[in-house]
Amino acid sequence: MDQASKLREMVQASDKPSNARVIAVTSGKGGVGKTSISVNLAIELSERGKKVVIFDADFGLANVEVMLGIRPKYNLLDLIHNNKTMEEIITTGPKGIGFISGGSGVSELAALDNESIKLLISALARLDKMYDVVIIDTGAGITDAVMEFVMVSPEVLLVVTPEPTSITDAYSLLKVLRRNEKFNPIYKTIRVIANRVENDSEGDEIFAKINAVSSKFLNTKLEYLGPIIQDKNASRAIIEQKPVVMAYPQTSSSKCLSELADKLAGNEGETKEEGNDGIARIFFEFIKARRKKKQK
């Protein structure tokens, strides 16, 4: 039996997940506010009665904990190597959101033996039952690890700013995704967020540019989740290591984030997913892809 078959058996043998909604937040380049959006949307969804956990998949950089000013005691690798439970590696953030640090590197996941993977998948199946929404804060850019998380996530939020390089890099990410032989637009929803725009019109223009090129050349239709208007309090909140929706709830960016959360909560269940879902399945596919790439 090959390794992929063994991995598949592990997923099937684990407790069946309760269909936690998995949303990957990504961008074509760094510095566009991806982690801030992940954290603030998690808080807003929590305010709407959802149990939300953020998985910090920007391995080694710990962006989520820096954003919140909270240092987790354990990370994902402690679950595997140090016998910690899923409950122990989850750090509690504001408004009851949870977050999990991915640890030091992707390579360690690809190198795990089958028993360790079985432990990981079983623990992640429990995570699917503990939370309604799992937000994956990916690394930035189009590295293999980022693209593999984007590839296997049923819902993707693509963060873009007015900078020409951000728009170009977002298109490059979509192009790499579209060229993947396993990409199937029927089972994936890609929503664009126009961050740090001056007004609604600028956000509309950014989305129109990306969607036109994506529709014409990539045969991939995008959805527009909406804009986030730039204001000084958004930058101030990051310096203060506080989520802007809590520190400055009446500011423009906070109101936009609230509207985005309303839209996300409103379209829950619209995404058509192929096969099993949840974070356990996401990691099953991720580790399988990493192993395959390692063998080449």
Side-chain angles (χ1 to χ4, degrees), residues 144-190:
D144 288 343
V146 170
M147 294 310 302
E148 283 155 14
F149 269 121
V150 172
M151 185 66 209
V152 298
S153 298
E155 293 185 68
V156 176
L157 300 184
L158 178 59
V159 181
V160 188
T161 69
E163 298 175 33
T165 53
S166 174
I167 297 171
T168 302
D169 290 342
Y171 175 67
S172 295
L173 183 147
L174 291 169
K175 185 162 61 174
V176 172
L177 184 66
R178 184 68 181 86
R179 287 178 176 174
N180 190 303
E181 60 184 12
K182 293 184 178 179
F183 176 75
N184 188 338
I186 296 175
Y187 297 107
K188 186 177 298 294
T189 301
I190 303 174

Side-chain angles (χ1 to χ4, degrees), residues 105-225:
V106 178
S107 58
E108 291 200 46
L109 293 177
L112 293 176
D113 59 38
N114 283 346
E115 281 303 310
S116 296
I117 294 174
K118 185 176 180 180
L119 173 66
L120 174 62
I121 296 300
S122 177
L124 290 170
R126 292 201 305 276
L127 187 69
D128 276 319
K129 294 180 178 180
M130 295 166 61
Y131 290 92
D132 302 312
V133 182
V134 180
I135 294 176
I136 302 177
D137 182 35
T138 74
I142 52 176
T143 65
D144 288 343
V146 170
M147 294 310 302
E148 283 155 14
F149 269 121
V150 172
M151 185 66 209
V152 298
S153 298
E155 293 185 68
V156 176
L157 300 184
L158 178 59
V159 181
V160 188
T161 69
E163 298 175 33
T165 53
S166 174
I167 297 171
T168 302
D169 290 342
Y171 175 67
S172 295
L173 183 147
L174 291 169
K175 185 162 61 174
V176 172
L177 184 66
R178 184 68 181 86
R179 287 178 176 174
N180 190 303
E181 60 184 12
K182 293 184 178 179
F183 176 75
N184 188 338
I186 296 175
Y187 297 107
K188 186 177 298 294
T189 301
I190 303 174
R191 301 184 176 96
V192 174
I193 295 175
N195 193 26
R196 299 174 185 161
V197 295
E198 292 296 324
N199 48 52
D200 290 347
S201 296
E202 186 175 33
D204 292 340
E205 184 179 340
I206 289 171
F207 174 71
K209 287 179 181 177
I210 297 177
N211 191 46
V213 175
S214 181
S215 298
K216 183 176 181 180
F217 297 108
L218 304 181
N219 195 28
T220 302
K221 189 174 181 181
L222 309 175
E223 295 181 15
Y224 186 39
L225 193 62

